[in-house]
Amino acid sequence: MNETSKSLNFIEQIVEEDLANGYGREDLRFRFPPEPNGYLHIGHASSICLNFGLGLRYNAPVNLRFDDTNPAKEEQEYVDAIKKDVEWLGFSWDTERYASDYFQQLYDWAIILIKEGKAYVDDQSSEEMAAQKGTPTEPGTNSPNRNRSIEENLDLFDQMKRGEFGEGTHVLRAKIDMSSSNMLMRDPIMYRVLHKAHHRTNTDWCIYPMYDWTHGESDYIEQVSHSFCTLEFAMHRELYNWFLDQVYEPGKIRPKQREFARRNLSHTVVSKRKLLQLVEQGFVNGWDDPRMPTISGLRRRGYTPESIRNFVDTIGIAKRDNLIDVSLLEFTIREHLNKTTHRVMGVLNPLKLVITNYPEGQTEWLEAENSPEDEHAGSRQVPFSRELYIEQEDFKEEANKKFFRLKLGGEVRLKNGYIIKAESCTKDTDGNIVEVQCTYDPKSKSGSGTEESLRRVKGTLHWVSIAHAIKTEVRLYDRLFTDESPDTHKDKDFLEFINPDSLSIITGYVEPALKSAAIGDRFQFQRLGYFCVDPDSNDNLLVFNRTVGLRDSWAKIQDKK
């Protein structure tokens, strides 16, 4: 095996083998086929990057196809959200398709199957049909309707189409093999009656095709060469191929289904049903809540498309399902934001600091570097005055030698500013410190080149000038679940593991340079973490979401445990 083939994942190896065995590059076509019954999540990102990545690698078209066969759960809102997410991740599709585009063709093929004695209408209850399915070790039994005449089946199917039967009363089943070792091959349902308006076809149809019947035939209609899906569809491959056998014409591209492992993310769930439950029951504030693993939620939290693509590339494509630690996703966003965001100062837990020997009413503008990672990022001016806010945690009356922040009698440097010394502090009636009085060395200004400015002190604190600070709302997000795999406990509901501290809303203060920040802008609040401007912001109030802390605080918690 040469070096190039070693670097290929097993999906790419499949494509390479097909090219070596007769496929032309012009025959390649891929697709991303979401069902528009919810918002895309981080698990879908792997499929998006895989399929569109293959398109880029082989210069092949990729379709965006919505498998919209269930009007009871599908909405235009989901279609619009999916398109936005794919584009935001940086991908473009060749054509936009819908399974509903093929409803007439699928119906026509179903008629052919009935005429060939390969499909029949069954009017038993779902319970009766389930009982006849048998078990994985015992064969099923034939439906009493399995040998209806072709004429009767055509008539009943036509009545289904015209809406003459109620929901759940009649289905069209493929006549395959009730003794098959694959339960999915035991006369699967192809059509069911649904008296619901479709988001694209409205009330044109009263019958809707099932996913298994629709998916492979849609791939065939679009001449998709490779249909990649997650492992739960591995058992469906035999049925996928059986349905293709009924319509395939020699000389055309026959789609090939292959499966790859789902990537589950720790401390969350990626089941659309469970995500919808979180939304509908008010555990989160919508599909784009920054605690959600949806792409829209990650975007709102401050994640970048580059970080998500890097995450997907890092975890790779595998053949076995596994649980990926969310800290890896957090690492990729830290890594990207560290290189791309400006450093600014904000205080989230303010303590008033007064520099007693600094002139009252005076404002001094200090130069602050925007990013040490980017020499072209430039600098900005930060106002400095007699009264400042620092973090409560950055001051103690008394502390040991390992505390390198401010303590009585101790010195620290204020970032971009001066060296200060804590002289005294004021407490309220409950004994809480409410103000620290300090003195500063006027000759110690950062960057001034004086001997005093070169003096080394161990601690450097961030701060904001009280008179110039912008009051903001800060939303501190944490993991939505306390358990790393909340939906794998057989004896417990996943909702039992909801983290009650997954969101804290506090008031913070930021430097005035952020007044012009736009929705979606990202920053590093020095010493605190990475934050972005939330869409809830308006002219009167900036709202910041914490994307991620500077370090993995959960790792420390787990180490202690």
mmCIF file of all heavy atoms in Angstrom, residues 13 43 49 56 87 94 185 211 337 405 496:
data_model
loop_
_atom_site.group_PDB
_atom_site.id
_atom_site.type_symbol
_atom_site.label_atom_id
_atom_site.label_comp_id
_atom_site.label_asym_id
_atom_site.label_seq_id
_atom_site.Cartn_x
_atom_site.Cartn_y
_atom_site.Cartn_z
ATOM 1 N N GLN A 13 -11.490 4.751 0.205
ATOM 2 C CA GLN A 13 -10.960 3.545 -0.419
ATOM 3 C C GLN A 13 -12.023 2.859 -1.274
ATOM 4 O O GLN A 13 -11.719 2.329 -2.352
ATOM 5 C CB GLN A 13 -10.438 2.593 0.655
ATOM 6 C CG GLN A 13 -9.162 3.072 1.325
ATOM 7 C CD GLN A 13 -8.744 2.192 2.489
ATOM 8 O OE1 GLN A 13 -9.446 1.240 2.842
ATOM 9 N NE2 GLN A 13 -7.613 2.504 3.088
ATOM 10 N N GLY A 43 -23.652 15.574 14.903
ATOM 11 C CA GLY A 43 -23.508 14.289 14.227
ATOM 12 C C GLY A 43 -23.692 14.416 12.726
ATOM 13 O O GLY A 43 -22.996 13.757 11.938
ATOM 14 N N CYS A 49 -19.632 16.891 6.051
ATOM 15 C CA CYS A 49 -18.228 17.026 5.666
ATOM 16 C C CYS A 49 -17.761 15.838 4.831
ATOM 17 O O CYS A 49 -16.947 16.000 3.908
ATOM 18 C CB CYS A 49 -17.357 17.174 6.913
ATOM 19 S SG CYS A 49 -17.606 18.740 7.805
ATOM 20 N N LEU A 56 -15.553 17.613 -3.212
ATOM 21 C CA LEU A 56 -14.391 18.474 -3.455
ATOM 22 C C LEU A 56 -13.178 17.645 -3.871
ATOM 23 O O LEU A 56 -12.428 18.042 -4.778
ATOM 24 C CB LEU A 56 -14.073 19.275 -2.187
ATOM 25 C CG LEU A 56 -15.114 20.331 -1.776
ATOM 26 C CD1 LEU A 56 -14.791 20.894 -0.405
ATOM 27 C CD2 LEU A 56 -15.174 21.448 -2.814
ATOM 28 N N GLU A 87 -24.594 25.770 4.242
ATOM 29 C CA GLU A 87 -23.867 26.907 3.670
ATOM 30 C C GLU A 87 -22.894 27.501 4.678
ATOM 31 O O GLU A 87 -21.760 27.850 4.333
ATOM 32 C CB GLU A 87 -24.858 27.974 3.190
ATOM 33 C CG GLU A 87 -25.633 27.573 1.950
ATOM 34 C CD GLU A 87 -26.628 28.635 1.521
ATOM 35 O OE1 GLU A 87 -27.288 29.249 2.381
ATOM 36 O OE2 GLU A 87 -26.749 28.856 0.297
ATOM 37 N N ASP A 94 -24.804 20.964 -5.629
ATOM 38 C CA ASP A 94 -24.993 21.059 -7.076
ATOM 39 C C ASP A 94 -26.453 21.357 -7.396
ATOM 40 O O ASP A 94 -26.763 22.309 -8.105
ATOM 41 C CB ASP A 94 -24.558 19.748 -7.739
ATOM 42 C CG ASP A 94 -24.754 19.773 -9.252
ATOM 43 O OD1 ASP A 94 -24.180 20.668 -9.908
ATOM 44 O OD2 ASP A 94 -25.502 18.921 -9.775
ATOM 45 N N MET A 185 -36.791 -7.548 5.636
ATOM 46 C CA MET A 185 -37.208 -8.114 4.354
ATOM 47 C C MET A 185 -38.548 -8.834 4.454
ATOM 48 O O MET A 185 -39.047 -9.358 3.461
ATOM 49 C CB MET A 185 -36.127 -9.085 3.848
ATOM 50 C CG MET A 185 -34.775 -8.455 3.616
ATOM 51 S SD MET A 185 -34.805 -7.220 2.295
ATOM 52 C CE MET A 185 -34.953 -8.292 0.853
ATOM 53 N N TYR A 211 -39.690 5.539 4.050
ATOM 54 C CA TYR A 211 -38.299 5.943 3.835
ATOM 55 C C TYR A 211 -37.522 4.910 3.022
ATOM 56 O O TYR A 211 -36.823 5.257 2.063
ATOM 57 C CB TYR A 211 -37.618 6.173 5.189
ATOM 58 C CG TYR A 211 -36.169 6.595 5.082
ATOM 59 C CD1 TYR A 211 -35.820 7.934 4.952
ATOM 60 C CD2 TYR A 211 -35.152 5.642 5.110
ATOM 61 C CE1 TYR A 211 -34.487 8.319 4.845
ATOM 62 C CE2 TYR A 211 -33.818 6.009 5.001
ATOM 63 C CZ TYR A 211 -33.495 7.350 4.867
ATOM 64 O OH TYR A 211 -32.180 7.729 4.755
ATOM 65 N N LEU A 337 -10.156 30.027 17.906
ATOM 66 C CA LEU A 337 -10.407 31.375 18.425
ATOM 67 C C LEU A 337 -9.136 32.013 18.980
ATOM 68 O O LEU A 337 -8.982 33.238 18.929
ATOM 69 C CB LEU A 337 -11.493 31.333 19.501
ATOM 70 C CG LEU A 337 -12.897 30.958 19.030
ATOM 71 C CD1 LEU A 337 -13.880 30.975 20.196
ATOM 72 C CD2 LEU A 337 -13.373 31.884 17.913
ATOM 73 N N ARG A 405 -2.076 37.066 42.781
ATOM 74 C CA ARG A 405 -2.913 38.220 42.461
ATOM 75 C C ARG A 405 -2.822 39.258 43.580
ATOM 76 O O ARG A 405 -1.803 39.298 44.282
ATOM 77 C CB ARG A 405 -4.344 37.734 42.190
ATOM 78 C CG ARG A 405 -4.439 37.005 40.841
ATOM 79 C CD ARG A 405 -5.743 36.260 40.643
ATOM 80 N NE ARG A 405 -5.732 34.930 41.277
ATOM 81 C CZ ARG A 405 -6.756 34.104 41.249
ATOM 82 N NH1 ARG A 405 -7.887 34.457 40.649
ATOM 83 N NH2 ARG A 405 -6.674 32.928 41.825
ATOM 84 N N GLU A 496 -33.305 13.023 33.507
ATOM 85 C CA GLU A 496 -32.857 13.023 34.899
ATOM 86 C C GLU A 496 -31.442 13.579 35.046
ATOM 87 O O GLU A 496 -31.024 13.945 36.143
ATOM 88 C CB GLU A 496 -32.907 11.603 35.473
ATOM 89 C CG GLU A 496 -34.314 11.027 35.610
ATOM 90 C CD GLU A 496 -34.301 9.638 36.225
ATOM 91 O OE1 GLU A 496 -33.479 9.417 37.146
ATOM 92 O OE2 GLU A 496 -35.099 8.789 35.781
#
